Amino acid sequence: MTTEAGCVVTFTVKNLGLGPAIVRKRFFAVGGERFDVEPDDTDLVEMVASKSIGDKFAFRVLQSGTPGEGSALPSGGDFLIAELLFFGMDIKAAEKALRSLADLDFVVEYESMYEEPFTLRALGGNSPGWESAR
C-alpha cells in the first residue's frame, strides 16, 4: 500500500492447510546468524530489521509480532509478522529494496494435527508472498 510517506509492506504467515498448524520453532536469520529470542527491551522484528536493512533504506516498523512456540494457527488463520513503512518509496522500489536483502530469512517449523513436520522459509530475497504485499 502506498501512502504520502512511502510504501507500507505487510508480512504475514497464513495457514492454508485443512487443520491447525502447531508452531514448533520460528526464527529469523541474517547472514546465517539466528535470532529467535527478544533481547531485553528490544522487539525481535525491530532488531532483525535494523541488522538486515540498517541504513540502506529509510524505514520504520509499524507493527510486529512472532507466533509463540507451541501456539496453534487455525486453518485459514494468519499471523502478522511485520508491517514496515519504507519512506519515499513506491511499491516497485520497496519490492526491489526487499529483494536485495538476500541474507534475511524467516523460518517456521510446524506440525500438522497428524504430527507431520513441515518448514516454511520466506524472504531470503525471494519471498513467495509478494503478490499479497501489492
Short mmCIF file of all heavy atoms in Angstrom, two decimals, residues 62-104:
data_model
loop_
_atom_site.label_atom_id
_atom_site.label_comp_id
_atom_site.label_asym_id
_atom_site.label_seq_id
_atom_site.Cartn_x
_atom_site.Cartn_y
_atom_site.Cartn_z
N LEU A 62 6.06 -0.52 11.80
CA LEU A 62 4.78 -0.01 12.30
C LEU A 62 4.14 -0.98 13.28
O LEU A 62 3.56 -0.57 14.28
CB LEU A 62 3.82 0.27 11.14
CG LEU A 62 4.31 1.27 10.09
CD1 LEU A 62 3.31 1.37 8.95
CD2 LEU A 62 4.55 2.64 10.72
N GLN A 63 4.20 -2.27 12.97
CA GLN A 63 3.65 -3.33 13.82
C GLN A 63 4.53 -4.56 13.66
O GLN A 63 5.14 -4.75 12.61
CB GLN A 63 2.23 -3.74 13.38
CG GLN A 63 1.18 -2.69 13.49
CD GLN A 63 -0.17 -3.28 13.09
OE1 GLN A 63 -0.69 -4.15 13.78
NE2 GLN A 63 -0.71 -2.82 11.98
N SER A 64 4.55 -5.40 14.70
CA SER A 64 5.32 -6.63 14.58
C SER A 64 4.84 -7.65 15.60
O SER A 64 4.19 -7.32 16.58
CB SER A 64 6.81 -6.37 14.78
OG SER A 64 7.06 -5.94 16.10
N GLY A 65 5.21 -8.89 15.33
CA GLY A 65 4.90 -9.99 16.24
C GLY A 65 5.49 -11.27 15.71
O GLY A 65 5.86 -11.35 14.54
N THR A 66 5.61 -12.25 16.56
CA THR A 66 6.05 -13.57 16.14
C THR A 66 5.19 -14.59 16.86
O THR A 66 4.91 -14.43 18.05
CB THR A 66 7.54 -13.82 16.45
OG1 THR A 66 7.80 -13.48 17.81
CG2 THR A 66 8.44 -13.00 15.54
N PRO A 67 4.77 -15.64 16.17
CA PRO A 67 3.97 -16.67 16.85
C PRO A 67 4.82 -17.38 17.88
O PRO A 67 5.99 -17.65 17.65
CB PRO A 67 3.55 -17.60 15.71
CG PRO A 67 4.56 -17.37 14.63
CD PRO A 67 5.04 -15.97 14.78
N GLY A 68 4.24 -17.67 19.02
CA GLY A 68 4.97 -18.37 20.07
C GLY A 68 5.15 -19.84 19.75
O GLY A 68 4.32 -20.46 19.07
N GLU A 69 6.25 -20.40 20.23
CA GLU A 69 6.47 -21.83 20.04
C GLU A 69 5.41 -22.59 20.82
O GLU A 69 5.10 -22.26 21.95
CB GLU A 69 7.88 -22.19 20.49
CG GLU A 69 8.92 -21.57 19.58
CD GLU A 69 10.35 -21.93 19.93
OE1 GLU A 69 10.57 -22.73 20.87
OE2 GLU A 69 11.26 -21.41 19.27
N GLY A 70 4.80 -23.57 20.16
CA GLY A 70 3.72 -24.33 20.76
C GLY A 70 2.34 -23.76 20.46
O GLY A 70 1.33 -24.38 20.77
N SER A 71 2.30 -22.59 19.84
CA SER A 71 1.00 -22.00 19.52
C SER A 71 0.41 -22.68 18.28
O SER A 71 1.12 -23.27 17.47
CB SER A 71 1.12 -20.49 19.29
OG SER A 71 1.93 -20.21 18.17
N ALA A 72 -0.90 -22.60 18.16
CA ALA A 72 -1.60 -23.21 17.04
C ALA A 72 -2.19 -22.12 16.15
O ALA A 72 -2.80 -21.18 16.65
CB ALA A 72 -2.71 -24.12 17.53
N LEU A 73 -1.96 -22.25 14.86
CA LEU A 73 -2.56 -21.34 13.89
C LEU A 73 -3.68 -22.13 13.21
O LEU A 73 -3.42 -23.13 12.55
CB LEU A 73 -1.50 -20.91 12.87
CG LEU A 73 -1.87 -19.81 11.90
CD1 LEU A 73 -2.25 -18.52 12.65
CD2 LEU A 73 -0.70 -19.51 10.97
N PRO A 74 -4.93 -21.69 13.40
CA PRO A 74 -6.05 -22.47 12.85
C PRO A 74 -6.07 -22.44 11.33
O PRO A 74 -5.49 -21.55 10.70
CB PRO A 74 -7.29 -21.77 13.42
CG PRO A 74 -6.83 -20.39 13.74
CD PRO A 74 -5.38 -20.49 14.08
N SER A 75 -6.74 -23.40 10.74
CA SER A 75 -6.90 -23.44 9.29
C SER A 75 -7.50 -22.12 8.82
O SER A 75 -8.49 -21.65 9.37
CB SER A 75 -7.81 -24.60 8.91
OG SER A 75 -8.02 -24.61 7.52
N GLY A 76 -6.87 -21.51 7.82
CA GLY A 76 -7.34 -20.23 7.30
C GLY A 76 -6.89 -19.03 8.10
O GLY A 76 -7.07 -17.89 7.69
N GLY A 77 -6.28 -19.27 9.27
CA GLY A 77 -5.83 -18.18 10.12
C GLY A 77 -4.51 -17.60 9.65
O GLY A 77 -3.75 -18.24 8.95
N ASP A 78 -4.28 -16.34 10.02
CA ASP A 78 -3.00 -15.73 9.70
C ASP A 78 -2.45 -14.98 10.90
O ASP A 78 -3.17 -14.71 11.85
CB ASP A 78 -3.07 -14.84 8.45
CG ASP A 78 -4.09 -13.72 8.57
OD1 ASP A 78 -4.61 -13.47 9.67
OD2 ASP A 78 -4.38 -13.09 7.55
N PHE A 79 -1.16 -14.69 10.83
CA PHE A 79 -0.47 -14.02 11.93
C PHE A 79 0.43 -12.95 11.33
O PHE A 79 1.21 -13.22 10.42
CB PHE A 79 0.37 -15.04 12.71
CG PHE A 79 0.89 -14.50 14.01
CD1 PHE A 79 0.19 -14.67 15.18
CD2 PHE A 79 2.10 -13.80 14.04
CE1 PHE A 79 0.67 -14.15 16.37
CE2 PHE A 79 2.58 -13.29 15.22
CZ PHE A 79 1.87 -13.46 16.40
N LEU A 80 0.31 -11.73 11.83
CA LEU A 80 1.14 -10.63 11.37
C LEU A 80 2.55 -10.78 11.90
O LEU A 80 2.76 -10.90 13.10
CB LEU A 80 0.57 -9.29 11.84
CG LEU A 80 1.43 -8.10 11.47
CD1 LEU A 80 0.93 -7.47 10.18
CD2 LEU A 80 1.48 -7.08 12.58
N ILE A 81 3.53 -10.79 11.02
CA ILE A 81 4.94 -10.82 11.40
C ILE A 81 5.49 -9.40 11.45
O ILE A 81 6.11 -9.00 12.43
CB ILE A 81 5.78 -11.68 10.43
CG1 ILE A 81 5.22 -13.11 10.35
CG2 ILE A 81 7.25 -11.68 10.82
CD1 ILE A 81 5.20 -13.87 11.65
N ALA A 82 5.26 -8.63 10.39
CA ALA A 82 5.78 -7.27 10.37
C ALA A 82 5.00 -6.41 9.38
O ALA A 82 4.57 -6.90 8.32
CB ALA A 82 7.26 -7.27 9.99
N GLU A 83 4.86 -5.16 9.75
CA GLU A 83 4.36 -4.14 8.84
C GLU A 83 5.40 -3.03 8.84
O GLU A 83 5.68 -2.46 9.89
CB GLU A 83 3.00 -3.63 9.31
CG GLU A 83 2.36 -2.65 8.36
CD GLU A 83 0.97 -2.26 8.80
OE1 GLU A 83 0.87 -1.53 9.81
OE2 GLU A 83 0.01 -2.68 8.15
N LEU A 84 5.99 -2.80 7.68
CA LEU A 84 7.09 -1.84 7.55
C LEU A 84 6.69 -0.70 6.63
O LEU A 84 6.06 -0.92 5.60
CB LEU A 84 8.33 -2.51 6.97
CG LEU A 84 8.88 -3.73 7.69
CD1 LEU A 84 10.01 -4.36 6.88
CD2 LEU A 84 9.37 -3.36 9.07
N LEU A 85 7.09 0.51 7.01
CA LEU A 85 6.93 1.67 6.15
C LEU A 85 8.28 2.03 5.59
O LEU A 85 9.24 2.26 6.34
CB LEU A 85 6.38 2.86 6.96
CG LEU A 85 6.38 4.23 6.26
CD1 LEU A 85 5.52 4.21 5.01
CD2 LEU A 85 5.94 5.31 7.22
N PHE A 86 8.39 2.02 4.25
CA PHE A 86 9.61 2.43 3.57
C PHE A 86 9.39 3.86 3.07
O PHE A 86 8.61 4.08 2.14
CB PHE A 86 9.95 1.47 2.42
CG PHE A 86 10.46 0.16 2.92
CD1 PHE A 86 9.58 -0.88 3.18
CD2 PHE A 86 11.81 -0.03 3.14
CE1 PHE A 86 10.05 -2.09 3.66
CE2 PHE A 86 12.28 -1.24 3.61
CZ PHE A 86 11.40 -2.27 3.88
N PHE A 87 10.05 4.80 3.70
CA PHE A 87 9.86 6.21 3.41
C PHE A 87 10.28 6.55 1.98
O PHE A 87 11.33 6.12 1.50
CB PHE A 87 10.65 7.08 4.39
CG PHE A 87 10.14 6.98 5.79
CD1 PHE A 87 10.82 6.24 6.74
CD2 PHE A 87 8.97 7.64 6.17
CE1 PHE A 87 10.35 6.14 8.04
CE2 PHE A 87 8.49 7.56 7.47
CZ PHE A 87 9.18 6.80 8.41
N GLY A 88 9.42 7.32 1.30
CA GLY A 88 9.73 7.84 -0.02
C GLY A 88 9.74 6.81 -1.13
O GLY A 88 10.23 7.11 -2.23
N MET A 89 9.24 5.61 -0.90
CA MET A 89 9.25 4.57 -1.93
C MET A 89 7.84 4.27 -2.41
O MET A 89 6.88 4.38 -1.65
CB MET A 89 9.85 3.27 -1.39
CG MET A 89 11.31 3.32 -1.11
SD MET A 89 11.90 1.65 -0.72
CE MET A 89 13.59 1.99 -0.30
N ASP A 90 7.75 3.85 -3.68
CA ASP A 90 6.51 3.28 -4.17
C ASP A 90 6.64 1.75 -4.07
O ASP A 90 7.66 1.24 -3.60
CB ASP A 90 6.20 3.75 -5.59
CG ASP A 90 7.26 3.33 -6.61
OD1 ASP A 90 8.12 2.48 -6.31
OD2 ASP A 90 7.23 3.87 -7.74
N ILE A 91 5.64 1.04 -4.53
CA ILE A 91 5.63 -0.42 -4.40
C ILE A 91 6.81 -1.07 -5.12
O ILE A 91 7.47 -1.95 -4.59
CB ILE A 91 4.28 -1.01 -4.88
CG1 ILE A 91 3.18 -0.60 -3.91
CG2 ILE A 91 4.35 -2.52 -5.01
CD1 ILE A 91 1.77 -0.94 -4.38
N LYS A 92 7.08 -0.62 -6.34
CA LYS A 92 8.18 -1.23 -7.11
C LYS A 92 9.53 -1.01 -6.42
O LYS A 92 10.36 -1.90 -6.37
CB LYS A 92 8.21 -0.69 -8.53
CG LYS A 92 7.08 -1.24 -9.37
CD LYS A 92 7.24 -0.85 -10.82
CE LYS A 92 6.07 -1.43 -11.59
NZ LYS A 92 6.41 -1.86 -12.89
N ALA A 93 9.75 0.20 -5.89
CA ALA A 93 11.01 0.48 -5.21
C ALA A 93 11.14 -0.34 -3.93
O ALA A 93 12.22 -0.86 -3.62
CB ALA A 93 11.12 1.97 -4.90
N ALA A 94 10.03 -0.48 -3.17
CA ALA A 94 10.07 -1.28 -1.94
C ALA A 94 10.32 -2.74 -2.26
O ALA A 94 11.09 -3.41 -1.57
CB ALA A 94 8.76 -1.11 -1.16
N GLU A 95 9.70 -3.25 -3.32
CA GLU A 95 9.92 -4.64 -3.73
C GLU A 95 11.39 -4.86 -4.09
O GLU A 95 12.01 -5.82 -3.64
CB GLU A 95 9.03 -5.00 -4.91
CG GLU A 95 9.23 -6.42 -5.40
CD GLU A 95 8.31 -6.79 -6.54
OE1 GLU A 95 7.26 -6.17 -6.70
OE2 GLU A 95 8.67 -7.73 -7.27
N LYS A 96 11.96 -3.95 -4.85
CA LYS A 96 13.36 -4.07 -5.24
C LYS A 96 14.27 -4.00 -4.01
O LYS A 96 15.23 -4.77 -3.88
CB LYS A 96 13.73 -2.96 -6.22
CG LYS A 96 15.12 -3.05 -6.76
CD LYS A 96 15.40 -1.98 -7.79
CE LYS A 96 16.82 -2.10 -8.30
NZ LYS A 96 17.14 -1.06 -9.27
N ALA A 97 13.94 -3.10 -3.09
CA ALA A 97 14.74 -2.97 -1.86
C ALA A 97 14.70 -4.26 -1.05
O ALA A 97 15.74 -4.75 -0.60
CB ALA A 97 14.22 -1.79 -1.03
N LEU A 98 13.52 -4.82 -0.86
CA LEU A 98 13.40 -6.04 -0.06
C LEU A 98 14.04 -7.24 -0.75
O LEU A 98 14.65 -8.08 -0.09
CB LEU A 98 11.95 -6.32 0.27
CG LEU A 98 11.36 -5.37 1.31
CD1 LEU A 98 9.85 -5.55 1.41
CD2 LEU A 98 12.01 -5.58 2.66
N ARG A 99 13.94 -7.31 -2.05
CA ARG A 99 14.59 -8.43 -2.78
C ARG A 99 16.11 -8.34 -2.69
O ARG A 99 16.80 -9.35 -2.85
CB ARG A 99 14.13 -8.47 -4.22
CG ARG A 99 12.70 -8.96 -4.37
CD ARG A 99 12.39 -9.26 -5.82
NE ARG A 99 11.00 -9.59 -6.00
CZ ARG A 99 10.47 -10.80 -5.78
NH1 ARG A 99 11.23 -11.76 -5.36
NH2 ARG A 99 9.19 -11.01 -5.97
N SER A 100 16.63 -7.17 -2.42
CA SER A 100 18.08 -7.02 -2.30
C SER A 100 18.61 -7.54 -0.97
O SER A 100 19.81 -7.66 -0.78
CB SER A 100 18.48 -5.55 -2.47
OG SER A 100 18.15 -4.79 -1.32
N LEU A 101 17.71 -7.86 -0.04
CA LEU A 101 18.12 -8.34 1.28
C LEU A 101 18.22 -9.86 1.28
O LEU A 101 17.54 -10.55 2.03
CB LEU A 101 17.12 -7.86 2.34
CG LEU A 101 16.91 -6.36 2.42
CD1 LEU A 101 15.80 -6.02 3.38
CD2 LEU A 101 18.20 -5.65 2.80
N ALA A 102 19.07 -10.40 0.43
CA ALA A 102 19.18 -11.85 0.24
C ALA A 102 19.67 -12.58 1.48
O ALA A 102 19.48 -13.79 1.60
CB ALA A 102 20.09 -12.15 -0.94
N ASP A 103 20.27 -11.88 2.43
CA ASP A 103 20.78 -12.55 3.63
C ASP A 103 19.76 -12.62 4.75
O ASP A 103 20.04 -13.14 5.82
CB ASP A 103 22.06 -11.87 4.12
CG ASP A 103 21.83 -10.45 4.61
OD1 ASP A 103 20.81 -9.84 4.22
OD2 ASP A 103 22.66 -9.94 5.37
N LEU A 104 18.54 -12.12 4.51
CA LEU A 104 17.47 -12.14 5.52
C LEU A 104 16.54 -13.31 5.25
O LEU A 104 16.09 -13.51 4.12
CB LEU A 104 16.68 -10.83 5.47
CG LEU A 104 15.43 -10.75 6.33
CD1 LEU A 104 15.77 -10.91 7.81
CD2 LEU A 104 14.71 -9.43 6.08
#
